[in-house]
Amino acid sequence: LPEDPYTRKPMPQGWALLATQIRQRQAAHPHTLFVDVGDGLQGQPTSYVRARIRPDLPEPTVAALASLGCQASILGNHDFDWGLAYLRKVDDEATFPMLAANLVHPDGSPAFTPYVVQDVGGLRVGILGLTNSALNRLAEPGVLGPLRTVDALEAARTWVPRLRSEERLDLLIVAFHSGPGRPGAQAL
């Protein structure tokens, strides 16, 4: 709805507005990729209802993103707010990959899908997803279990050459869920 979900005051926001904007861009540019960059699984009353009261219902943000043609979603730190088991269930129900190349098991293998390759207007386009490098610090204690994050820049330096050589991409997009950073921090 075009209103603040907490105050119920009118605001220029909501899925209907977003859907209109996405569809307009896709109509004007048919070779458009739609990539979500995370944190959609919390912060809305509907997400709370699904996570805590009606887990039998589809996850509302994932359902909305799928209906709008989302091709990939990058995991954000708040996507872990309901716990890793919940996120795994959501990942299983999503019709698009939820990416996080720098979230790994103790042996270093990816804990989630690291990337996806899409055909866009005859071009092979890779999307490498990187989550917040500080996820181990930002997540509630114990939420990640044995998983850990690898620094996003380190992960990109590993994955980018590999994707370019193994996947023979025409274009590689690195989508990164991160905060504003700090002065003097090295940019990705």
Side-chain angles (χ1 to χ4, degrees):
L1 298 173
E3 63 184 27
D4 182 288
Y6 300 103
T7 66
R8 306 290 306 256
K9 292 181 181 174
M11 292 187 76
Q13 66 179 30
W15 285 109
L17 176 63
L18 183 61
T20 299
Q21 292 172 342
I22 289 169
R23 288 183 179 128
Q24 286 173 343
R25 283 179 176 82
Q26 289 171 332
H29 307 284
H31 302 301
T32 298
L33 283 170
F34 173 22
V35 179
D36 172 66
V37 290
D39 279 357
L41 301 183
Q42 66 77 36
Q44 301 178 58
T46 54
S47 296
Y48 177 85
V49 168
R50 195 301 176 131
R52 295 295 185 239
I53 299 170
R54 292 291 308 272
D56 57 306
L57 296 174
E59 203 296 316
T61 300
V62 167
L65 290 171
S67 74
L68 295 173
C70 183
Q71 289 149 305
S73 180
I74 313 311
L75 293 178
N77 50 294
H78 288 294
D79 293 328
F80 291 84
D81 286 359
W82 303 118
L84 183 58
Y86 180 83
L87 181 56
R88 290 278 187 213
K89 286 171 56 177
V90 171
D91 184 34
D92 287 343
E93 110 184 24
T95 58
F96 49 84
M98 299 181 86
L99 309 177
N102 61 325
L103 185 61
V104 299
H105 292 286
D107 66 1
S109 64
F112 285 86
T113 303
Y115 69 93
V116 65
V117 177
Q118 299 277 335
D119 177 70
V120 181
L123 297 177
R124 287 181 52 81
V125 179
I127 304 166
L128 176 66
L130 298 169
T131 191
N132 193 312
S133 297
L135 185 58
N136 289 344
R137 181 178 49 80
L138 297 172
E140 291 292 322
V143 164
L144 296 179
L147 305 181
R148 66 179 175 83
T149 51
V150 173
D151 178 75
L153 183 58
E154 178 185 328
R157 285 181 175 151
T158 299
W159 282 99
V160 167
R162 179 175 165 186
L163 291 174
R164 285 186 172 153
S165 68
E166 293 177 14
E167 294 291 348
R168 297 191 226 347
L169 301 172
D170 297 304
L171 175 66
L172 175 60
I173 297 168
V174 178
F176 183 29
H177 178 92
S178 179
R182 60 189 187 284
Q186 187 175 14
L188 181 62

